[in-house]
Amino acid sequence: MHKAIHITHYISVCIFLAIYFVKTILLISNKEDTLTKFSKKIKIPEMIVSFLFLATGIYLLIQLQEIKMLLIIKIALVFLSIPIAVIGFKKRNKILGALSLLMITASFGLAEIAAKQTAKISKEAVAEDGTIKGAVLYQDNCVLCHGDNGKLGMSGAADISKTQMSQDSIRQVVLNGKGMMAKIQGLTPEQAAAIAAYVNTSIKGK
Ligand code: HEC
């Protein structure tokens, strides 16, 4: 379900941007008549796509438990670009038209950056003798989506209590991400290995 919404969001944003791109080019190149005709033809599909894009975006937003600065900038850009686009196209103002396209494209790019996860490493994660506590790192970085027992399934997360993966494959997922799960940045190989060992012994098969 979550995956389908994510994909719908991605596709509707792409179509939305493509329509916008064409409109902006027509506006900038003074093709008034073509722009009017194109806008008329595309009106209904554009409304559907915009609705899908906003509705799935809001759904994805509600699912997030932590809103990062980048995401706030992204949302602000999207919402600012809407009135600018409306006014720009109504008044046939090239600068506003181009500006709104730029803003919405930039916010799309920001989404990719915001998707990267940065590891949280609390003090308790490393014992005095230097051993790394996988359980603590799991609490810091994984429970948000997977829950204490691995079964939470937030943001479309897999139930890792049922995973068939080996400890080493789990380590690779932590280091490199997998499908919808973003790579967790900033973990050392030893920390990733400690998390994998914890998942393998205390969550998998439980
Ligand atoms: C932002 C949410 C999120 C966080 C945080 C997260 N995961 Fe995931 N995880 C996912 C999603 C979503 C999937 C499903 C990936 C797919 O198959 O598309 C997944 C899949 C996995 C899998 C693969 C399970 C399988 O059998 O396919 C493992 C293992 C895993 N996560 C371990 C971890 C560990 C360990 C951490 C902490 C270091 C972690 N995850 C943090 C969302 C998250």
Side-chain angles (χ1 to χ4, degrees), residues 138 143 145-153 157-162 203:
Y138 180 86
V143 288
C145 299
H146 292 290
D148 286 320
N149 54 10
K151 300 179 205 283
L152 183 64
D159 179 350
I160 50 176
S161 69
K162 293 206 177 71
I203 293 180

Side-chain angles (χ1 to χ4, degrees), residues 132-150:
I132 302 164
K133 294 185 182 158
V136 177
L137 290 175
Y138 180 86
Q139 281 297 324
D140 286 348
N141 298 289
C142 318
V143 288
L144 208 65
C145 299
H146 292 290
D148 286 320
N149 54 10

Side-chain angles (χ1 to χ4, degrees), residues 25-128:
I25 297 286
L26 291 174
L27 180 68
I28 290 172
S29 54
N30 287 323
K31 301 241 166 53
E32 282 266 347
D33 290 349
T34 324
L35 176 60
T36 310
K37 262 189 228 151
F38 179 73
S39 303
K40 229 180 204 156
K41 269 215 175 103
I42 207 85
K43 200 168 175 181
I44 303 287
E46 190 181 359
M47 274 165 68
I48 297 171
V49 167
S50 324
F51 172 77
L52 279 177
F53 152 39
L54 286 176
T56 52
I58 289 166
Y59 170 86
L60 291 172
L61 202 65
I62 296 168
Q63 286 272 304
L64 285 178
Q65 304 201 328
E66 209 182 356
I67 301 209
K68 300 211 176 89
M69 198 58 209
L70 266 172
L71 200 63
I72 296 175
I73 299 173
K74 178 187 161 171
I75 297 159
L77 275 174
V78 172
F79 282 98
L80 258 173
S81 70
I82 294 171
I84 294 182
V86 172
I87 298 168
F89 280 93
K90 256 219 169 95
K91 297 210 179 306
R92 297 286 188 254
N93 185 309
K94 288 177 197 172
I95 296 173
L96 289 183
L99 183 68
S100 69
L101 180 69
L102 195 77
M103 283 167 74
I104 210 148
T105 314
S107 76
F108 192 45
L110 276 180
E112 298 300 309
I113 304 170
K116 287 205 179 115
Q117 297 264 343
T118 312
K120 182 176 145 210
I121 296 152
S122 55
K123 280 199 194 96
E124 301 79 54
V126 184
E128 300 221 324

Side-chain angles (χ1 to χ4, degrees), residues 155-177:
S155 301
D159 179 350
I160 50 176
S161 69
K162 293 206 177 71
T163 189
Q164 305 289 326
M165 287 189 164
S166 67
Q167 185 170 322
D168 192 57
S169 308
I170 298 171
R171 186 180 62 86
Q172 308 249 346
V173 172
V174 174
L175 280 176
N176 306 318

